C-alpha cells in the first residue's frame, strides 16, 4: 500500500485523539479554577453548538484523499524531507500569519461578522473545540489558507508525509491552546527568550479577543497586532494575573464515583457532547471506543489513588465542586475492595476538611450502609471534623413522599432496606397510609423502627398488591407481578429498569435546579438536563442554610424542614 494513502486514516485518528486530550485537560483545569481567565458560565447551548468539532478534521481528511487522487506528486511523497519542513515553517510565519491577520480583521466588519464570524464569537467562554466552530464557508476559507504551506512544498518536490502531519498537529496545538480558558504558559519562557512574545500567543491573549472583539486578531504570532496597533493594552496584565491564579475553596463538595464502564465517557472531562446528555441516551459511536473504557477502568483501578475534580458550579454566593472517586459500581460490591474504597473516601474528606470546605455530600455507593454506615464511620473516627458530611437522606425521603399521590391509601414496599426506604415507610405509616411488604426479614426489621402507634399500618402480606410500588430494587420478576397501571417509585439513587409499557416509572429522587445556578452543562448520570439528585442537592441546601450538623449514620434532617429549604432556594419538584 502507498505510504501517503496508508498514513491518512491514522493521521485523522491522531488529530481526534490530540484534540480530545486538550478538551479533557481544559475542562479539568477550569473545574479547579486556579488559573481561570473568564469567570463566566458555560451552558448547554454552547456545548450543543460545538458538538460538531470533529467535522473539520474529517473534512480535511476527505480533501487529502482528493489531493491524493488528483495530484500525482502527492503519491510520491517520502516520509520526511528537511527542505520541505523548512519551507512549511517559513510559509506559515510569512504569508499565512499575515493573510490570516487581515482576513480575520475583515471578518469583524459588520457585514461578514453578522453573516459568518458571529457564530464563532457566540462562545465568550472558550473551550479548545471552540477553535474550529465556524460556518462552512469560513471553514473552507481557513482550509485554503492553511493549505498554502502544504501544497507549495509538494509542487516544489519537497513535500513529505511527516511534514504535513506535523504541520496539522502544530495548527491543532496552537488552536486548542489558544482557546483554553486557563493560563498555562510559564513566564520564564518569555523572560529567557524576549522575542518570543511576538511569535507565540497565550490563552489569555486570545481570550481578550473573544471578550473585547476588536483587539488581538493574530493567529498565533502577535507580531502583527504590535505592528498594526491592535494589541489590547490589558494583555500583559491579564496574562500575569491569571498565571499566578488564586486557589479557591469550594463551599460544597459532592463526592461521587463512576458507575458503568461507559460512564467514563460521561464525565465532564471526557467527551463533551456525551456528558451533556443523560447517560442512558447512548450515541452510535460508543461501540467503536469501548476498548478505551476498559483501559480507563484498568488505569483507574491501578493508579487511581485519590479523588479528582470534574466540575465547578455556582449558586448565589456558594461555590460547588464535584469530586470523583476513581472506582466503578462493580468494585463497590467486592468485599475485598471496601477497605481501599473507604480509604479513598476518607482521603477526600480529610482533604476537604483541610481546605475549609463547609459541606461534603456522599453520592451513589459512597454512602452505603455496608460500606461505611452512611458516612458514620468517618464522623466517629474524626469527632472534630469541621466539614459536615451529608448523605442527603432527608431530602431524598421528602422527594419520594411528595411523589406519592395525596389520596394514596396503600403502597407496596419492595426491596426497601435502605435508610431512605425505611424513613419513607415510617413517614407513610405515621400519615395513616398502609405499607405492605412481602419479605418477612425486612418487615421484622422495619417494624422495630416504626412507632408503636403506627405499627398497625405496617402489614406483611403476599396477597395484597397495591398500585403504588416503592423500593430500592424492583427486579424484572417483581415488576411483572405488579398490576396493570402500577407506578414504580425508586427510593435509591439508581433508576429502575423499565420493562413494563403499561406502568409508570418515576425518576430516582431528584429535583430541577434553579435558573440562577451557573456553569451547568453536563447531566448527572441518567438524569435530564438541569436536574440533580436529591442527595446532591441536599449538600447544597445544607450549606445555603448554614446548618452545622452532620446527616449520616442513623441521623436524618427533618423531612419537612429540608424540603421547605430546598423549595425556598429555587429547587423545583419534577
Amino acid at each position: 500500500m502507498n505510504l501517503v494513502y496508508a498514513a491518512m486514516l491514522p493521521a485523522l485518528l491522531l488529530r481526534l485523539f490530540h484534540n480530545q486530550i486538550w478538551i479533557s485537560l481544559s475542562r479539568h483545569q477550569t473545574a479547579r479554577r486556579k488559573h481561570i481567565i473568564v469567570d463566566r458560565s458555560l451552558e448547554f447551548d454552547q456545548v450543543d453548538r460545538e458538538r460538531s468539532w470533529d467535522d473539520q478534521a474529517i473534512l480535511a481528511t476527505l480533501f487529502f484523499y482528493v489531493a491524493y487522487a488528483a495530484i500525482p506528486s502527492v503519491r510520491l511523497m517520502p516520509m520526511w524531507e528537511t527542505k520541505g519542513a523548512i519551507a512549511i515553517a517559513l510559509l506559515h510565519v510569512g504569508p499565512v500569519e499575515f493573510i490570516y491577520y487581515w482576513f480575520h480583521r475583515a471578518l469583524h466588519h459588520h457585514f461578514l461578522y453578522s453573516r459568518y464570524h458571529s457564530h464563532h464569537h457566540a462562545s465568550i467562554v472558550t473551550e479548545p473545540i471552540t477553535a474550529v466552530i465556524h460556518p462552512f464557508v469560513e471553514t473552507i476559507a481557513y482550509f485554503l489558507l492553511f493549505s498554502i504551506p502544504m501544497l507549495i512544498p509538494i509542487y516544489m518536490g519537497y513535500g513529505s508525509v511527516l511534514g504535513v502531519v506535523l504541520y496539522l498537529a502544530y495548527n491543532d496545538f496552537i488552536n486548542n491552546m489558544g482557546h483554553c480558558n486557563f493560563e498555562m504558559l510559564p513566564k520564564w519562557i518569555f523572560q529567557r527568550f524576549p522575542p518570543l512574545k511576538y511569535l507565540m500567543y497565550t490563552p489569555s491573549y486570545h481570550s481578550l479577543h473573544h471578550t473585547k472583539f476588536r483587539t488581538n486578531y493574530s493567529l498565533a504570532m502577535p507580531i502583527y497586532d504590535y505592528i498594526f496597533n491592535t494589541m489590547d493594552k490589558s494583555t500583559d496584565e491579564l496574562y500575569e494575573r491569571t498565571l499566578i491564579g488564586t486557589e479557591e475553596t469550594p463551599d460544597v463538595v459532592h463526592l461521587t464515583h463512576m458507575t458503568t464502564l461507559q460512564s467514563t465517557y460521561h464525565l465532564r472531562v471526557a467527551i463533551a457532547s456525551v456528558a451533556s446528555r443523560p447517560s442512558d441516551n447512548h450515541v452510535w459511536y460508543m461501540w467503536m471506543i469501548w476498548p478505551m473504557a476498559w483501559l480507563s477502568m484498568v488505569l483507574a483501578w491501578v493508579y487511581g489513588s485519590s479523588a479528582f475534580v470534574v466540575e465547578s458550579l455556582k449558586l448565589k454566593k456558594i461555590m460547588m465542586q464535584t469530586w470523583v472517586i476513581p472506582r466503578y459500581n462493580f468494585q463497590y460490591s467486592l468485599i475485598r475492595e471496601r477497605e481501599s474504597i473507604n480509604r479513598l473516601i476518607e482521603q477526600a474528606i480529610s482533604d476537604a476538611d483541610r481546605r475549609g470546605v463547609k459541606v461534603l455530600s456522599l453520592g451513589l455507593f459512597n454512602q452505603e450502609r455496608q460500606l461505611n454506615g452512611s458516612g458514620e464511620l468517618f464522623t466517629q473516627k474524626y469527632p472534630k471534623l469541621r466539614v459536615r458530611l451529608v448523605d442527603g437522606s432527608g431530602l431524598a425521603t421528602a422527594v419520594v413522599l411528595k411523589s406519592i399521590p395525596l389520596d394514596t391509601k396503600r403502597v407496596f414496599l419492595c426491596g426497601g432496606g435502605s435508610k431512605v426506604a425505611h424513613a419513607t415507610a415510617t413517614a407513610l405509616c405515621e400519615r395513616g397510609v398502609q405499607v405492605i411488604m412481602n419479605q418477612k426479614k425486612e418487615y421484622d426489621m422495619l417494624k422495630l423502627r416504626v412507632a408503636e402507634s403506627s405499627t398497625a399500618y405496617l402489614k406483611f402480606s403476599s396477597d395484597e398488591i397495591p398500585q403504588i410500588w416503592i423500593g430500592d430494587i424492583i427486579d424484572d420478576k417483581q415488576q411483572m407481578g405488579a398490576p396493570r397501571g402500577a407506578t414504580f417509585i425508586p427510593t435509591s439513587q439508581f433508576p429502575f429498569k423499565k420493562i413494563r409499557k403499561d406502568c409508570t416509572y418515576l425518576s430516582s429522587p431528584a429535583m430541577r435546579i434553579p435558573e440562577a445556578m451557573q456553569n451547568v452543562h453536563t447531566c448527572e448520570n441518567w438524569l435530564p438536563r438541569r436536574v440533580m439528585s436529591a442527595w446532591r442537592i441536599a449538600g447544597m441546601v445544607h450549606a445555603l442554610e448554614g446548618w452545622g450538623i452532620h446527616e449520616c449514620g442513623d441521623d436524618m434532617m427533618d423531612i419537612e424542614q429540608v424540603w421547605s429549604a430546598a423549595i425556598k432556594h429555587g429547587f423545583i419538584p419534577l
Side-chain angles (χ1 to χ4, degrees):
M1 182 182 291
N2 182 275
L3 174 65
V4 177
Y5 189 86
M8 290 187 189
L9 182 58
L12 169 63
L13 297 177
L14 283 173
R15 292 189 70 189
L16 297 177
F17 182 67
H18 179 200
N19 290 339
Q20 181 58 53
I21 289 175
W22 276 105
I23 294 168
S24 299
L25 173 65
S26 175
R27 288 195 156 202
H28 176 62
Q29 290 296 329
T30 52
R32 292 182 61 218
R33 292 183 54 82
K34 183 175 182 180
H35 301 287
I36 196 166
I37 301 170
V38 179
D39 190 8
R40 293 177 62 173
S41 181
L42 178 65
E43 302 295 340
F44 281 110
D45 59 344
Q46 179 172 335
V47 177
D48 291 340
R49 189 172 60 252
E50 297 180 350
R51 69 170 62 250
S52 59
W53 63 268
D54 52 347
D55 287 0
Q56 54 83 32
I58 297 172
L59 179 64
T61 304
L62 293 176
F63 279 138
F64 292 142
Y65 278 113
V66 172
Y68 175 84
I71 305 174
S73 55
V74 169
R75 299 191 288 271
L76 302 176
M77 288 195 302
M79 179 62 74
W80 176 253
E81 172 57 62
T82 304
K83 293 180 180 178
I86 294 173
I88 289 174
L90 293 176
L91 287 166
H92 178 85
V93 173
V96 169
E97 287 280 349
F98 180 77
I99 295 171
Y100 178 90
Y101 174 84
W102 285 107
F103 177 60
H104 195 180
R105 286 193 67 169
L107 286 172
H108 278 261
H109 184 276
H110 66 84
F111 180 84
L112 294 177
Y113 185 84
S114 61
R115 289 165 174 79
Y116 300 105
H117 201 52
S118 58
H119 182 73
H120 177 71
H121 274 275
S123 301
I124 304 297
V125 181
T126 58
E127 293 200 284
I129 51 180
T130 306
V132 294
I133 304 303
H134 303 285
F136 182 72
V137 173
E138 197 173 330
T139 298
I140 295 297
Y142 289 135
F143 183 78
L144 293 174
L145 176 61
F146 295 126
S147 295
I148 294 173
M150 293 183 284
L151 289 176
I152 290 180
I154 291 173
Y155 282 114
M156 292 171 62
Y158 298 136
S160 67
V161 173
L162 274 180
V164 172
V165 171
L166 291 176
Y167 181 62
L168 291 172
Y170 166 77
N171 275 328
D172 289 339
F173 177 86
I174 60 172
N175 269 322
N176 285 318
M177 181 193 71
H179 286 83
C180 285
N181 191 31
F182 71 98
E183 191 52 77
M184 70 186 81
L185 290 176
K187 193 173 181 179
W188 63 262
I189 293 180
F190 300 103
Q191 291 175 334
R192 293 187 181 180
F193 309 100
L196 201 60
K197 68 180 295 185
Y198 303 104
L199 303 176
M200 177 183 286
Y201 75 164
T202 65
S204 55
Y205 165 94
H206 191 69
S207 178
L208 283 169
H209 176 71
H210 274 262
T211 55
K212 297 190 177 182
F213 302 104
R214 296 292 183 179
T215 58
N216 296 9
Y217 292 102
S218 293
L219 174 58
M221 300 179 178
I223 185 169
Y224 295 109
D225 281 308
Y226 281 100
I227 292 173
F228 299 108
N229 198 30
T230 52
M231 171 68 72
D232 193 280
K233 293 180 173 60
S234 62
T235 298
D236 292 339
E237 183 273 331
L238 179 63
Y239 166 74
E240 294 186 9
R241 174 164 50 83
T242 53
L243 186 62
I244 296 171
T246 54
E247 196 71 54
E248 295 184 356
T249 298
D251 300 287
V252 181
V253 166
H254 181 62
L255 188 65
T256 185
H257 61 80
M258 292 175 282
T259 54
T260 63
L261 289 179
Q262 287 77 17
S263 68
T264 305
Y265 308 133
H266 196 259
L267 293 173
R268 178 183 174 272
V269 295
I271 303 177
S273 59
V274 173
S276 69
R277 302 173 179 178
S279 60
D280 55 4
N281 188 358
H282 299 294
V283 293
W284 64 270
Y285 53 81
M286 278 295 189
W287 65 271
M288 299 173 60
I289 53 178
W290 69 265
M292 293 300 296
W294 281 95
L295 178 61
S296 299
M297 183 271 291
V298 172
L299 292 175
W301 201 341
V302 176
Y303 298 106
S305 58
S306 63
F308 57 96
V309 60
V310 295
E311 189 174 36
S312 182
L313 310 174
K314 281 186 177 181
L315 177 60
K316 298 179 179 178
K317 293 183 179 180
I318 69 168
M319 190 181 82
M320 301 154 285
Q321 286 186 350
T322 301
W323 296 359
V324 174
I325 297 290
R327 295 295 183 269
Y328 296 80
N329 277 359
F330 78 92
Q331 292 169 300
Y332 281 78
S333 64
L334 302 176
I335 296 177
R336 67 175 184 271
E337 288 294 311
R338 288 181 179 176
E339 185 178 347
S340 64
I341 289 173
N342 272 331
R343 279 200 302 268
L344 289 170
I345 298 172
E346 182 179 339
Q347 181 182 345
I349 293 172
S350 298
D351 186 34
D353 193 54
R354 177 182 55 80
R355 292 177 59 184
V357 175
K358 297 175 182 177
V359 176
L360 186 143
S361 56
L362 297 168
L364 301 179
F365 288 135
N366 288 330
Q367 54 162 280
E368 274 290 288
R369 282 182 180 273
Q370 294 85 352
L371 182 67
N372 51 46
S374 299
E376 190 174 28
L377 172 69
F378 308 112
T379 56
Q380 289 181 347
K381 187 173 182 179
Y382 301 102
K384 296 183 179 180
L385 204 61
R386 292 171 297 174
V387 61
R388 298 304 167 196
L389 300 188
V390 173
D391 65 10
S393 53
L395 183 58
T397 302
V399 172
V400 174
L401 290 171
K402 299 296 181 181
S403 301
I404 300 173
L406 292 175
D407 59 351
T408 300
K409 302 299 181 184
R410 301 187 308 163
V411 301
F412 184 71
L413 177 59
C414 183
S418 70
K419 183 177 176 181
V420 173
H422 284 180
T424 302
T426 301
L428 288 171
C429 289
E430 291 174 355
R431 294 179 183 182
V433 177
Q434 191 170 64
V435 178
I436 300 171
M437 304 179 68
N438 65 359
Q439 297 176 350
K440 183 64 172 153
K441 182 179 179 180
E442 292 183 1
Y443 168 79
D444 292 335
M445 290 177 58
L446 183 56
K447 193 172 182 179
L448 298 174
R449 293 173 173 266
V450 177
E452 188 174 348
S453 59
S454 304
T455 53
Y457 292 100
L458 185 65
K459 185 176 182 179
F460 175 75
S461 174
S462 300
D463 302 324
E464 300 181 49
I465 306 178
Q467 290 290 111
I468 305 295
W469 286 45
I470 63 174
D472 300 330
I473 301 173
I474 303 180
D475 61 29
D476 296 2
K477 183 179 179 181
Q478 291 167 329
Q479 288 187 38
M480 293 306 297
R484 182 185 295 272
T487 299
F488 297 107
I489 304 176
T491 54
S492 77
Q493 301 192 49
F494 296 89
F496 295 143
K497 180 182 177 182
K498 300 178 182 180
I499 65 168
R500 295 276 300 271
K501 294 184 178 180
D502 59 345
C503 295
T504 301
Y505 293 82
L506 270 61
S507 164
S508 53
M511 302 179 77
R512 296 195 183 278
I513 61 175
E515 290 296 326
M517 188 175 291
Q518 299 178 5
N519 210 39
V520 181
H521 49 270
T522 59
C523 291
E524 182 182 350
N525 298 316
W526 39 81
L527 295 173
R529 290 182 171 186
R530 297 194 70 83
V531 172
M532 290 184 180
S533 67
W535 290 266
R536 185 179 183 186
I537 292 171
M540 303 176 190
V541 173
H542 215 86
L544 287 165
E545 289 293 304
W547 291 328
I549 57 176
H550 297 294
E551 184 187 32
C552 55
D554 291 328
D555 296 328
M556 180 184 288
M557 298 296 299
D558 180 85
I559 295 172
E560 288 301 325
Q561 181 186 17
V562 71
W563 173 262
S564 298
I567 297 299
K568 180 181 73 175
H569 290 294
F571 294 95
I572 304 169
L574 284 178

